[in-house]
């Protein structure tokens, strides 16, 4: 369906996907009513800096906002912030809200995001146990992540490690506990895990892998430490839990929309209801470069699906799809990831990890499927372009650092 | 404070009053200047805020650091005066700066 200018576009959620949908719809000529329902009170803002520059105190809240308040007024976008969507009535095309009112729609975009996976252990609710997902979480962390604080981070994923880097730079004593045998085990190769473990250890972070938390300890409601299954006790003034996220699909599910580990959408970000789209972390989408579906937790995905929904709603041609990409900043190391490395059956390292700049290329059935590029932008960009254009290079070619990435790009074959 | 003029690939100009400390990218995005995507929000991770800097200001904006330079090496239609504008901070010295956006960031 394409919207007409007497229609109402309703958006649930106030993150990157929501902001992109709105910007796209207006840019592509939709002049009808746009209303955004956001549970948080802040204007739509960027999340990536939360675990980086914002936690470090190098960025004010205002700079996180995608657009200033004036922009929404100028663009005639109604913001209902601090309000929760409770239920979707698809027959009446109406969403009931936590303030007792209802919001009608002609088209609905669910950009409900995700939430931290809760730690199912005794003590998880103690004062001093934190999560890192939204602005308020970080506003709660900033005053307590200071010199000398004993901080235990549970989970060595990107969030945990980025927070560890910042906390260490702020002078905290940081221990990272990871249940798996290596850091970043869910998302990358052992080579990368070793590199990041060494990086953090060289900055004085203590990394404990194969370490399972049994209980968060506390007195008088305040956290005092963490007890591991093997009996080890770690002292902690604060504990940060970063063990993954869960898609916010319940609103869609309760309305009878198809969901399976996220809200199912097609290549246009459309759900099983013609009038309802979904974008961002909350979706399970076709991954066209990998001939499968999956859920992506990334800025790229939020932007792309926001654009897809806006394009479909304004009757525009579907924008060209990018290959999934990600980045992570820790200390002075920039990691850029292009593609999805899951299911790789071969990988090679280009450059020397000891030098601090290198890349790991991943292959499946002899085709290049992804790269983890550490301080190595050319490796990132070339891989991204190759995957999009359906081209590949051989492992031996990519391993040869005497040939530049620019020269290699010219040698790629279909 | 600095007045910055954004010129799109068709030659349409837009002048914006920018605060010191913001980046040339942020000023553009927050004011709805078309032609600058800035997908990564200023992390120098995506190369979608490519602009051409007016030659009179090339010295004042300085030269790109290594990461930016290697991102630029692979951008489309890159020229001598190409920069990623998320890496240019506004200051009084940049008053009158003109930047032109390319036809596409991808």
């Amino acid at each position: 369906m394409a919207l007409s200018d007497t229609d109402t576009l309703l958006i649930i959620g106030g993150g990157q996907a929501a902001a992109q949908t709105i910007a796209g719809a207006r840019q592509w000529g939709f002049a009808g009513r746009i209303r955004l329902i956001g549970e948080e009170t802040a204007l739509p803002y960027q999340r990536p800096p939360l675990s980086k520059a914002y936690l470090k105190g190098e960025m004010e809240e205002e700079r996180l906002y995608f657009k200033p308040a004036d922009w929404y007024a100028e663009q005639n976008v109604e913001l209902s912030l601090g309000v929760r969507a409770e239920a979707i009535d698809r027959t009446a095309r109406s969403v009931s809200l936590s303030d007792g009112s209802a919001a009608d729609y002609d088209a609905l975009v669910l950009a409900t995001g995700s939430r931290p996976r809760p730690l199912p252990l005794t003590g998880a609710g103690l004062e001093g146990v934190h999560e890192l997902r939204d602005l308020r979480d970080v506003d709660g962390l900033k005053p307590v992540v200071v010199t000398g604080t004993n901080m235990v981070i549970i989970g060595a994923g990107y969030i945990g490690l980025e927070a560890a880097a910042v906390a260490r730079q702020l002078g905290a004593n940081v221990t990272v506990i990871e249940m798996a045998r290596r850091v970043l085990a869910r998302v990358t190769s052992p080579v990368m895990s070793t590199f990041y473990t060494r990086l953090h250890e060289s900055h004085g972070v203590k990394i404990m892998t194969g370490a399972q938390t049994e209980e968060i300890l506390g007195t008088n409601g305040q956290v005092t430490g963490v007890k591991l299954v093997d009996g080890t006790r770690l002292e902690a003034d604060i504990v940060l839990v970063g063990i993954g996220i869960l898609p916010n699909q319940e609103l869609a599910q309760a309305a009878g929309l198809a969901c399976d580990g996220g809200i199912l959408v097609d290549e246009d970000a459309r759900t099983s209801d013609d009038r309802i789209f979904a974008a961002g972390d909350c979706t399970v989408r076709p991954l066209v470069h990998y001939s499968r579906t999956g859920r992506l937790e990334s800025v790229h995905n939020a932007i792309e699906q926001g654009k897809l929904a806006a394009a479909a709603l304004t009757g525009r041609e579907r924008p060209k799809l990018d290959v999934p990409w990600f980045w992570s900043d820790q200390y002075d190391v920039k990691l850029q990831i292009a593609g999805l490395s899951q299911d790789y059956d071969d990988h090679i390292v280009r450059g020397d990890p000891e030098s601090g700049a290198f890349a790991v290329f991943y292959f499946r059935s002899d085709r290049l499927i992804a790269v983890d590029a550490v301080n190595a932008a050319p490796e990132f960009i070339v891989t991204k372009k190759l995957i999009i254009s359906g081209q590949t290079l051989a492992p031996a070619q990519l391993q040869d650092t005497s040939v530049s990435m620019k020269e290699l790009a010219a040698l790629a074959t279909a | 404070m600095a007045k910055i003029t954004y010129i799109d690939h068709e030659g349409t100009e837009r002048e914006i009053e920018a605060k010191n400390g913001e980046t040339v990218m942020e000023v553009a995005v927050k004011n709805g200047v078309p032609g600058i995507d800035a997908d990564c929000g200023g992390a120098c991770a995506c190369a979608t805020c490519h602009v051409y800097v007016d030659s009179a200001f090339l010295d004042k904006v300085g030269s790109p650091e290594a990461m930016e330079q290697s991102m630029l090496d692979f951008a489309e239609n890159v020229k001598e005066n190409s920069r990623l504008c998320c890496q240019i901070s506004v200051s009084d010295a940049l008053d009158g700066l003109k930047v032109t956006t390319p036809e596409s960031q991808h």
Side-chain angles (χ1 to χ4, degrees):
Chain A
M1 64 166 297
L3 290 168
S4 80
D5 289 345
T6 54
D7 284 340
T8 296
L9 170 59
L10 182 67
I11 293 156
I12 310 290
Q16 186 117 30
Q20 188 67 49
T21 305
I22 293 172
R26 282 292 185 247
Q27 185 192 340
W28 293 329
F30 175 58
R33 185 175 182 209
I34 298 182
R35 185 173 177 195
L36 179 146
I37 310 293
E39 205 174 331
E40 293 178 62
T41 50
L43 287 172
Y45 62 90
Q46 314 171 54
R47 289 187 198 279
L50 293 183
S51 51
K52 308 176 186 87
Y54 186 73
L55 176 59
K56 211 172 167 190
E58 289 174 348
M59 199 173 182
E60 302 111 61
E61 176 174 332
E62 211 177 72
R63 282 184 81 182
L64 296 174
Y65 300 156
F66 292 108
K67 305 282 184 190
D70 299 353
W71 184 87
Y72 295 96
E74 280 161 26
Q75 294 291 321
N76 198 19
V77 174
E78 299 164 46
L79 298 178
S80 303
L81 301 175
V83 180
R84 205 183 135 78
E86 303 279 8
I88 305 167
D89 180 339
R90 287 162 58 195
T91 314
R93 300 213 297 266
S94 175
V95 176
S96 55
L97 307 177
S98 57
D99 63 5
S101 69
D104 296 338
Y105 66 86
D106 294 291
L108 176 64
V109 177
L110 301 174
T112 48
S114 53
R115 61 182 181 276
R117 183 185 293 275
L119 187 71
L121 296 177
T122 307
L126 288 165
E127 197 67 36
V129 179
H130 297 258
E131 294 173 333
L132 202 172
R133 179 66 195 165
D134 63 33
L135 197 49
R136 296 304 154 229
D137 292 337
V138 185
D139 287 340
L141 268 171
K142 277 165 81 168
V144 290
V145 180
V146 292
T147 305
T149 299
N150 291 316
M151 180 176 188
V152 172
I153 299 177
I154 300 179
Y158 286 118
I159 283 289
L161 292 184
E162 286 181 2
V166 172
R168 193 67 204 112
Q169 286 167 303
L170 293 172
N173 306 315
V174 183
T175 303
V176 179
I177 300 173
E178 170 56 50
M179 207 160 73
R181 300 291 298 274
R182 55 187 178 89
V183 306
L184 301 170
R186 189 175 68 91
V187 288
T188 191
S189 57
V191 188
M192 294 293 292
S193 299
T194 302
F195 174 80
Y196 276 101
T197 298
R198 286 188 185 155
L199 175 69
H200 279 275
E201 286 177 347
S202 75
H203 282 88
V205 172
K206 190 173 176 201
I207 305 246
M208 301 174 73
T209 53
Q212 200 174 343
T213 309
E214 182 171 285
E215 183 186 349
I216 313 276
L217 306 168
T219 35
N220 302 324
Q222 180 72 38
V223 71
T224 55
V226 171
K227 187 184 169 198
L228 304 184
V229 169
D230 70 4
T232 308
R233 283 165 183 261
L234 303 166
E235 257 182 66
D237 303 309
I238 47 172
V239 171
L240 174 65
V241 180
I243 55 171
I245 55 177
L246 299 170
N248 290 328
Q249 60 170 358
E250 290 74 11
L251 188 66
Q253 211 163 21
L257 298 174
C259 295
D260 183 10
I263 306 169
L264 299 183
V265 295
D266 67 12
E267 270 183 57
D268 291 312
R270 196 187 308 265
T271 69
S272 55
D273 181 324
D274 220 30
R275 288 181 180 270
I276 306 182
F277 293 74
D281 285 4
C282 62
T283 71
V284 169
R285 59 169 289 175
L287 302 169
V288 295
H289 305 97
Y290 298 89
S291 308
R292 62 179 174 93
T293 60
R295 195 166 66 76
L296 299 175
E297 303 166 0
S298 72
V299 163
H300 145 256
N301 182 51
I303 290 177
E304 183 165 274
Q305 289 191 305
K307 282 185 192 168
L308 289 170
L313 287 165
T314 53
R316 290 194 43 124
E317 207 180 307
R318 181 188 303 151
K320 234 167 76 185
L321 297 179
D322 212 341
V323 62
W325 62 272
F326 314 80
W327 80 93
S328 175
D329 293 325
Q330 296 169 45
Y331 309 102
D332 53 356
V333 174
K334 179 177 294 295
L335 168 64
Q336 291 165 294
I337 303 166
L340 302 173
S341 64
Q342 285 94 335
D343 311 327
Y344 68 91
D345 56 22
D346 191 10
H347 68 299
I348 62 107
V349 181
R350 178 181 171 86
D352 180 6
E354 293 287 320
S355 74
F358 68 102
V360 184
F361 291 92
Y362 301 90
F363 303 84
R364 179 162 180 82
S365 308
D366 298 323
R367 293 198 67 81
L368 177 61
I369 55 168
V371 67
D372 288 327
V374 175
N375 292 333
E379 282 74 359
F380 166 72
I381 297 181
V382 168
T383 303
K384 198 160 174 272
K385 288 185 175 175
L386 291 182
I387 298 172
I388 291 174
S389 62
Q391 291 183 294
T392 191
L393 286 161
Q397 287 178 298
L398 285 163
Q399 214 160 9
D400 183 359
T401 50
S402 72
V403 186
S404 75
M405 285 310 294
K406 217 163 216 174
E407 290 165 311
L408 281 174
L411 301 174
T413 55
Chain B
M1 298 287 273
K3 278 203 175 77
I4 299 178
T5 304
Y6 296 85
I7 308 168
D8 70 18
H9 69 280
E10 286 172 335
T12 311
E13 296 196 4
R14 227 182 118 182
E15 189 182 88
I16 296 170
E17 191 89 29
K19 275 189 267 181
N20 288 356
E22 292 181 309
T23 66
V24 172
M25 176 281 286
E26 286 176 292
V27 176
V29 169
K30 296 201 171 175
N31 287 281
V33 173
I36 293 176
D37 294 345
D39 286 350
C40 76
C44 196
C46 71
T48 62
C49 64
H50 176 198
V51 296
Y52 305 112
V53 174
D54 181 77
S55 56
F57 281 84
L58 276 176
D59 287 349
K60 287 179 184 146
V61 301
S63 21
E65 287 187 23
M67 176 58 74
E68 181 190 346
Q69 188 56 58
S70 53
M71 297 288 286
L72 274 171
D73 284 345
F74 291 86
E76 302 288 332
N77 302 314
V78 75
K79 298 179 192 168
E80 284 287 303
N81 59 342
S82 287
R83 287 293 307 268
L84 297 180
C85 63
C86 73
Q87 302 299 306
I88 305 175
S89 272
V90 174
S91 65
D92 291 344
L94 296 192
D95 190 34
L97 174 69
K98 285 187 179 185
V99 295
T100 305
T101 50
E103 192 168 351
S104 164
Q105 292 287 355
H106 288 276

